[in-house]
Amino acid sequence: MMTPSKTGKVLLTRPEPDNDSLKTLLTNQGFDVRELPLLQIEQLPESPEIRTLAMNIDQFQEVICTSKHAANWLMQLLDTYWPQIPVGIRWYAMGSGSATPLIEYGLEVSLPVTGNTSEDMLQRPELQNLDQHKVLLVKGEGGRDTLAQGLTERGASVDTLELYRRTQAEYPHETLKAVFGQWQPDQIVVLSGEALDSLWSLCRKIGYALKSTRCIVPSQRVADKAKALNLNVAVAASLHDESLADMINASLNQ
């Protein structure tokens, strides 16, 4: 890995405290790192539907957690309604961060063989023929329906357990001008299409020319969305901190 210039400025945008490990890694490599979370994460109140799905989770052959927040709050629910996690369920997570809460409960978790998108998850060989399987998707409110559609097309009966919502973060003009007008990041890590929407909205709010800053994104889908806005974009190999740091280093002098 190349040694970065001390003037490399990187803005991290995950909700707190999800930036901590990447911030430490980049700071140790000499980058000037700041945080500006682009999305707020709010746990949904426990509804009768949420309670019913949690209490009947033993009826599902596959459970797929699409984020760390989904996995965390699912485990809290199961702690409430199950003295021990039911056996006979195949557990899946979209990435290593999503898998961690499940692994901490002693569960064996499968990830996409490569990548971290719905399309990547659908490539797993054991998810190709799901006739008479019941699959539970644990996720946030809204979002893409690619995974549910793909599983349904393969014969699965799919239920969705939505445990949180994402909303765009709001900041006063002074905060935004301090970050974008005065500090002026060289690179911004933007890890979802919703986060990109929030970034675009905040920058327009203060008239910041986002096109002059490189955006590090996690997938070709988000890259295509950024390119449609004429943004300077680079795609990291994965959501792992090391992969993001590698791309940030590689992009520094481009």
Side-chain angles (χ1 to χ4, degrees):
M1 181 181 296
M2 63 185 294
T3 301
S5 164
K6 296 293 184 181
T7 61
K9 301 175 183 178
V10 181
L11 183 65
L12 305 182
T13 63
R14 282 171 166 157
E16 296 177 343
D18 294 347
N19 294 310
D20 289 353
S21 58
L22 180 57
K23 182 177 182 180
T24 298
L25 176 60
L26 293 173
T27 300
N28 289 340
Q29 293 177 357
F31 286 98
D32 180 5
V33 184
R34 296 192 186 183
E35 299 178 60
L36 189 77
L38 294 173
L39 298 174
Q40 296 177 332
I41 306 297
E42 176 188 354
Q43 185 177 8
L44 294 175
E46 187 176 313
S47 64
E49 180 182 5
I50 288 175
R51 188 178 306 115
T52 297
L53 286 170
M55 294 176 67
N56 294 327
I57 200 166
D58 59 328
Q59 298 180 14
F60 294 92
Q61 284 77 48
E62 289 87 14
V63 175
I64 303 176
C65 293
T66 63
S67 72
K68 183 171 71 174
H69 300 289
N72 267 325
W73 283 319
L74 175 63
M75 290 298 101
Q76 291 178 23
L77 271 175
L78 298 187
D79 253 352
T80 300
Y81 295 111
W82 290 89
Q84 63 182 30
I85 304 297
V87 298
I89 300 173
R90 289 182 175 177
W91 298 88
Y92 296 85
M94 205 63 76
S96 58
S98 307
T100 297
L102 307 178
I103 293 171
E104 289 175 349
Y105 273 76
L107 301 176
E108 183 176 338
V109 184
S110 298
L111 308 179
V113 176
T114 60
N116 47 64
T117 67
S118 296
E119 291 84 355
D120 296 323
M121 180 64 77
L122 289 168
Q123 295 302 311
R124 285 206 60 94
E126 69 275 20
L127 296 179
Q128 301 310 303
N129 186 351
L130 296 171
D131 286 344
Q132 300 184 9
H133 281 232
K134 292 191 66 177
V135 180
L136 182 64
L137 296 185
V138 189
K139 58 189 288 293
E141 197 174 61
R144 304 173 70 208
D145 58 4
T146 302
L147 186 54
Q149 286 183 350
L151 295 169
T152 300
E153 290 169 358
R154 294 163 192 200
S157 172
V158 180
D159 284 284
T160 299
L161 177 55
E162 296 182 341
L163 295 180
Y164 64 96
R165 66 168 54 98
R166 297 168 292 260
T167 57
Q168 291 189 6
E170 294 292 339
Y171 294 96
H173 276 69
E174 292 74 16
T175 299
L176 298 175
K177 288 180 179 178
V179 172
F180 296 106
Q182 299 170 20
W183 184 61
Q184 295 186 346
D186 302 308
Q187 301 186 62
I188 305 175
V189 180
V190 188
L191 297 180
S192 71
E194 289 172 306
L196 181 63
D197 289 339
S198 179
L199 176 64
W200 183 256
S201 175
L202 291 173
C203 288
R204 289 189 65 185
K205 186 176 179 180
I206 60 168
Y208 178 72
L210 187 58
K211 298 174 184 178
S212 63
T213 305
R214 171 158 289 192
C215 293
I216 306 298
V217 301
S219 68
Q220 191 58 49
R221 179 182 64 85
V222 181
D224 290 342
K225 186 170 186 174
K227 289 176 181 177
L229 298 171
N230 294 318
L231 301 184
N232 183 346
V233 63
V235 182
S238 76
L239 287 169
H240 295 155
D241 289 345
E242 292 76 11
S243 294
L244 293 169
D246 284 346
M247 181 53 68
I248 290 166
N249 275 278
S251 297
L252 186 62
N253 295 319
Q254 292 182 5

